Amino acid sequence: MPIADPAAPGVSTGGVTDGGLPSDGAAPVGSPEGAAGRDGRPLRVLYLSFFFPPSRASGVFRGRATANHFAQAGWDVTVITAPREFFSHYLEGGSDETLEATVDPRVRVERPPMNTYHWETDIRRFSRLRKSVPVVADRFYRRFQSWFLPEHYIGWVPGLLARAFKLHARRRFDLVVATGNPFVSFAAAWALGRAWRVPYVVDYRDAWTFNQFTEQVRFGPGTRTATWESRVLRDAAEVVFVNDGMRQWYAERYPFAADRMTVVPNGWEPEFIGRPEFRAPDPDRPLRFGYLGTVTPYLPLDILFEGWRRARTDPLMAGAELHVHGHLGFFAQTAESLREQLAQHESVGVRYRGPFGKADVAEVYAETDALVFCVPGAKYVTSGKVFEYMAAGKPVVSVHEPDIAASEVLKGYPLWFAGDRLDADAVAESFVAAAKAAREMDPSRHAAAQDHAAKYTRSATLSPWEARMRKLVEESR
């Protein structure tokens, strides 16, 4: 086992959402209707989601929405996630406290202790063994990784398993669902499903053995990681992907599981932005374009800014500003270089507005005339932000390769502007076309855009999946 640090994050105390059982020892139950089993009790699901509120990681919104949707459908939902301190202490700026309040109160959130060996840099928090013989401790840690699974999140697994078995002993779970990354959650779901003889399902928010941004295989056949993936997929009751491109890649690689592979696309949450009313851009001020989301080195920023610079010479774009809302990277070491890159373009109206809480997202959309959808160029990338962009009913400028998975979602959106290639000239043309559409916006086009987005609410995308899971549990009993 990894060397435990004495000050590793532990379990919060307090109510159900802090990881403890209610004071009377009873688990909270969902609605008596919907997901009740033949014995009349709510079906019980254990959801393994490392990134869960208050984490601000991009995948947290799918995890939050899944837990909430199952609870609202009548399931008794327990989420096992990382300790809160992992996001606030080890990932600087990794928390969005406003998100935690949006978790359905019927969802029990468990935060078992986690070994933070890889993440800990403060020598005062090292274990006694690590302080005394650091080389031996490091060798031991790496040996454990090579023996089990080479992921630094592996320190989450022992606490996860211990807590899961304790909860299952008190009241049996009917289903285990795991979302990745990290993919140690998949390995844990496999172990729990086999031990408890209950079905388990894995949800690929990201690809495991290949990089969906570069389309390069990361772990080839014969590697320990590929062996684990094959093992997990062999026994999974269902394998879920966020887009069909990723499903097809995995179906070709693991044909024995292809008939159990499905797509559950991302979506958007009406509770955050509702159905915004039509508001024409102020004719007396320049247009305001907006990018919302985490800025990372993977984004085609050079092409975005050069295209913006060229577009701004058009009279329609005179004085226009590009507001960037969001965190700069997921780690402190990348933030400064990204900040400098943004600052280089302030002379042409690029403004970094900083991060925003999820509760404030409606206000950000309201003050924006058109939106910029900039994502890494790979055909397996969808991004959750595209659904929310469409729901805002604003012109959307695409800055990405034309054949990515998100393009399938945007087809049919009446205010989508994208070139047939990714270069500065095509991006500039899209900006100018979007500016024209913004100035000519009327209530009917705004409503048509929102009608297209309505097909992708979280309820619309998650309801068929939840129904399948209910059927799966009943058939497995």
Side-chain angles (χ1 to χ4, degrees), residues 298-450:
Y298 284 112
L299 303 183
L301 295 176
D302 290 341
I303 295 175
L304 166 63
F305 293 135
E306 182 57 31
W308 170 259
R309 186 181 296 272
R310 296 181 189 185
R312 211 162 173 265
T313 63
D314 189 281
L316 280 169
M317 296 282 290
E321 293 185 343
L322 172 55
H323 289 204
V324 177
H325 304 264
H327 290 272
L328 301 180
F330 292 104
F331 303 99
Q333 58 266 33
T334 62
E336 191 54 40
S337 62
L338 290 168
R339 185 176 287 104
E340 291 174 359
Q341 190 173 4
L342 291 172
Q344 292 172 5
H345 303 283
E346 289 182 351
S347 62
V348 290
V350 176
R351 305 282 181 263
Y352 177 53
R353 297 287 300 276
F356 59 94
K358 192 66 176 178
D360 302 320
V361 69
E363 182 179 344
V364 176
Y365 282 120
E367 67 182 30
T368 305
D369 302 315
L371 297 159
V372 178
F373 182 56
C374 181
V375 290
K379 61 185 177 182
Y380 303 106
V381 175
T382 301
S383 171
K385 189 58 65 178
V386 66
F387 301 96
E388 200 172 84
Y389 272 23
M390 295 189 300
K394 307 280 179 105
V396 175
V397 176
S398 273
V399 183
H400 53 71
E401 294 288 352
D403 61 347
I404 70 170
S407 297
E408 293 301 315
V409 175
L410 284 160
K411 283 180 180 177
Y413 184 70
L415 297 171
W416 180 35
F417 301 92
D420 59 2
R421 63 195 185 282
L422 177 61
D423 62 31
D425 286 336
V427 169
E429 292 171 6
S430 296
F431 270 121
V432 173
K436 184 175 186 296
R439 288 301 188 194
E440 296 175 351
M441 276 288 287
D442 59 48
S444 63
R445 293 191 74 190
H446 176 75
Q450 290 184 320

Side-chain angles (χ1 to χ4, degrees), residues 240-254:
V240 176
F241 300 92
V242 293
N243 59 59
D244 196 57
M246 197 179 295
R247 184 200 62 80
Q248 290 181 30
W249 190 94
Y250 272 94
E252 292 172 4
R253 189 179 183 88
Y254 302 104

